[in-house]
């Protein structure tokens, strides 16, 4: 089950199946995708989304009962990819708070977020290699974008578990904090149009010349929108 609520400028999306460490079934993946794809039909999407897991784990990944009974494993992989892509393409800045275990598809879901922060209790692993699988919800695409290629290969090939400090050192998370929600609130304190523009620019993977041209135009638009505030700050 996926729960959502809006708290000021932060939308909270909770993976809420704590008895199974928030393992994701096909219906959960569909629900998650629909939540984020539904933004296209909404005029008021909060500037920040905080993605979390209920209970003592973030997400154990794909539900193994569902994986064992798959009739069409390729379709299941594609369903997971679409869910992760919906998170990746969200109009919100997505802050993923990892408390406890993130395994397999849970790591891949976190990789789709814009900002990943962990508590000291967080651990990360891609155990699929132990039983002949690997992360196929976009993990092989996003992991080497987040970690250095050598670290990504070591992490995925070995199946080893990283604690929060090792995840920080490899770039898998950007902070280790006691309260991951506080990072979402901190980011939400910024101007919403600036947050959206920064996300679009940093996520733009077109050629450098195109990115720089759009960057300059976006900067000009924001300058015009916030001219009074800029002038006030300059006069302080």
């Amino acid at each position: 089950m996926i729960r959502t609520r809006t708290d000021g400028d932060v939308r909270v999306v909770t993976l809420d199946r704590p008895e199974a460490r928030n393992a994701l079934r096909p219906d959960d993946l569909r629900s998650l995708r629909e939540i984020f794809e539904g933004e296209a039909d909404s005029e008021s999407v909060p500037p920040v989304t905080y993605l979390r897991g209920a209970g003592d784990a973030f997400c154990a990944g794909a539900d193994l009962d569902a994986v064992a009974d798959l009739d069409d494993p390729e379709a299941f992989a594609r369903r997971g990819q679409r869910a992760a892509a919906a998170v990746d393409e969200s109009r919100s800045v997505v802050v993923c708070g990892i408390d406890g275990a993130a395994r397999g598809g849970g790591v891949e879901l976190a990789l789709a977020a814009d900002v990943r922060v962990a508590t000291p209790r967080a651990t990360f692993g891609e155990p699929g290699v132990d039983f002949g699988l690997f992360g196929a919800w976009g993990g092989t695409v996003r992991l080497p974008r987040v970690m250095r290629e050598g670290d990504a290969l070591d992490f995925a090939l070995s199946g080893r578990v990283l604690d929060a400090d090792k995840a920080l050192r490899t770039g898998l998370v950007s902070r280790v904090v006691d309260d991951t929600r506080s990072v979402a609130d901190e980011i939400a304190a910024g101007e919403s149009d600036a947050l959206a523009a920064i996300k679009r620019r940093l996520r733009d993977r077109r050629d450098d010349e195109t990115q720089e041209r759009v960057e300059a135009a976006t900067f000009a638009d924001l300058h015009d929108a916030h001219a009074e505030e800029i002038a006030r700050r300059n006069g302080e």
Side-chain angles (χ1 to χ4, degrees), residues 113-124:
D114 300 302
V115 178
R116 287 166 298 282
V117 292
T119 71
R121 296 188 330 109
T123 60
F124 302 81

Side-chain angles (χ1 to χ4, degrees), residues 70-140:
L70 288 176
D71 294 323
D72 190 343
E74 183 174 352
F76 182 68
R78 293 293 292 166
R79 179 172 288 193
Q81 290 171 355
R82 288 193 293 271
V87 174
D88 193 331
E89 296 164 8
S90 173
R91 287 161 54 190
S92 283
V93 174
V94 181
V95 177
C96 183
I98 301 101
D99 183 27
R103 298 289 186 271
V107 173
E108 295 182 280
L109 188 58
L111 287 169
D114 300 302
V115 178
R116 287 166 298 282
V117 292
T119 71
R121 296 188 330 109
T123 60
F124 302 81
E126 286 279 12
V129 68
D130 293 339
F131 47 92
L133 290 176
F134 67 94
W137 292 351
T140 60

Side-chain angles (χ1 to χ4, degrees), residues 109-186:
L109 188 58
L111 287 169
D114 300 302
V115 178
R116 287 166 298 282
V117 292
T119 71
R121 296 188 330 109
T123 60
F124 302 81
E126 286 279 12
V129 68
D130 293 339
F131 47 92
L133 290 176
F134 67 94
W137 292 351
T140 60
V141 176
R142 294 187 181 91
L143 189 62
R145 291 176 181 168
V146 170
M147 304 168 82
R148 294 178 302 180
E149 184 176 286
D151 288 332
L153 283 162
D154 182 1
F155 178 56
L157 292 170
S158 68
R160 70 191 181 109
V161 173
L162 303 183
D163 62 20
D165 288 338
K166 289 178 181 176
L168 180 63
R169 288 198 296 270
T170 60
L172 188 54
V173 299
S174 58
R175 305 191 207 182
V176 177
V177 296
D178 291 326
D179 179 8
T180 56
R181 168 63 194 268
S182 68
V183 178
D185 292 334
E186 176 187 331

